[in-house]
């Protein structure tokens, strides 16, 4: 997991996460902090193992860690956070020695993560884990949340 740990220490990764934390300090809905992206990584790994999907652990973790970086720019620039963070994610992946092929794979999944249909197994895993990571059943903002009732997690699923 050497390359994943490199991401954790990457200055842009760290400053972007801090920026998201600042922006979300008053937010009553789900946060997009380190806890969230690490939960997503672990759930992706569990689901991949359960479903027999063979994707390298480092690719799963890198995808999860970088998937919400665009949240740092959404308020200022508007648009889809899944796309706003792609350039940053690519640069970080390059600096952390992920190959061109791995970068394309990861960036595609990040771009797709809030789209209606996942086009490939990594995108599908990210979408699924992103939703399962949320503890709706204990959320104080349950009533105000825009998620459709049926999508809210009513208990621990994994
Ligand atoms: Fe997201
Ligand atoms: Fe997310």
């Amino acid at each position: 997991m050497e390359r994943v740990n490199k991401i954790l220490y990457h200055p842009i990764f760290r400053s972007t996460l801090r920026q998201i934390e600042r922006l979300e300090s008053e937010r009553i809905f789900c946060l997009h902090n380190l806890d969230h992206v690490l939960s997503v990584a672990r759930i992706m790994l569990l689901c991949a193992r359960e479903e027999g999907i063979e994707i390298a652990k480092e690719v799963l973790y890198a995808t999860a860690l970088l998937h919400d970086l665009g949240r740092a720019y959404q308020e200022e620039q508007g648009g889809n956070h899944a796309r706003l963070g792609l350039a940053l994610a690519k640069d970080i992946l390059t600096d952390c020695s992920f190959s061109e092929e791995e970068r394309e794979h990861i960036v595609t999944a990040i771009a797709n993560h809030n789209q209606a249909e996942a086009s490939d197994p990594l995108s599908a895993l990210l979408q699924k884990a992103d939703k399962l990571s949320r503890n709706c059943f204990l959320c104080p903002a349950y009533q105000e949340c825009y998620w459709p009732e049926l999508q809210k997690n009513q208990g621990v699923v994994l």
Side-chain angles (χ1 to χ4, degrees):
M1 296 289 274
E2 194 185 318
R3 294 184 299 170
V4 170
N5 287 329
K6 258 174 126 175
I7 296 177
L8 296 178
Y9 286 91
H10 194 288
I12 297 174
F13 176 74
R14 293 168 87 104
S15 61
T16 308
L17 264 194
R18 275 198 293 272
Q19 169 74 355
I20 294 170
E21 275 172 20
R22 273 195 296 274
L23 290 169
E24 294 189 339
S25 62
E26 306 281 319
R27 185 178 162 90
I28 61 165
F29 300 107
C30 290
L31 303 178
H32 302 86
N33 54 17
L34 184 65
D35 280 348
H36 169 58
V37 296
L38 274 177
S39 293
V40 173
R42 291 168 179 142
I43 296 169
M44 283 177 79
L45 182 60
L46 266 176
C47 290
R49 293 271 156 89
E50 284 194 342
E51 295 170 25
I53 298 169
E54 289 185 21
I55 298 176
K57 203 202 286 196
E58 281 196 317
V59 169
L60 296 176
Y61 267 73
T63 306
L65 288 177
L66 301 174
H67 84 278
D68 273 336
L69 291 186
R71 285 268 170 188
Y73 309 101
Q74 196 166 24
E75 207 176 282
E76 206 177 271
Q77 295 178 24
N80 181 352
H81 75 272
R83 299 205 156 264
L84 290 171
L86 294 184
L88 270 192
K90 252 190 185 169
D91 287 348
I92 294 171
L93 289 165
T94 305
D95 292 346
C96 297
S97 313
F98 285 81
S99 69
E100 173 68 30
E101 197 186 332
E102 288 172 320
R103 290 199 297 268
E104 285 309 316
H105 195 191
I106 292 167
V107 163
T108 300
I110 295 174
N112 288 338
H113 87 263
N114 55 7
Q115 301 303 305
E117 283 226 350
S119 50
D120 62 278
L122 185 62
S123 300
L125 277 173
L126 175 58
Q127 281 191 0
K128 186 174 176 181
D130 201 17
K131 291 212 157 60
L132 288 177
S133 72
R134 300 309 194 178
N135 301 322
C136 309
F137 53 89
L138 210 70
C139 178
Y142 186 97
Q143 296 301 337
E144 295 93 332
C145 174
Y146 71 92
W147 276 24
E149 188 65 21
L150 279 176
Q151 279 187 33
K152 290 176 180 167
N153 297 315
Q154 305 299 341
V156 173
V157 209
L158 269 177

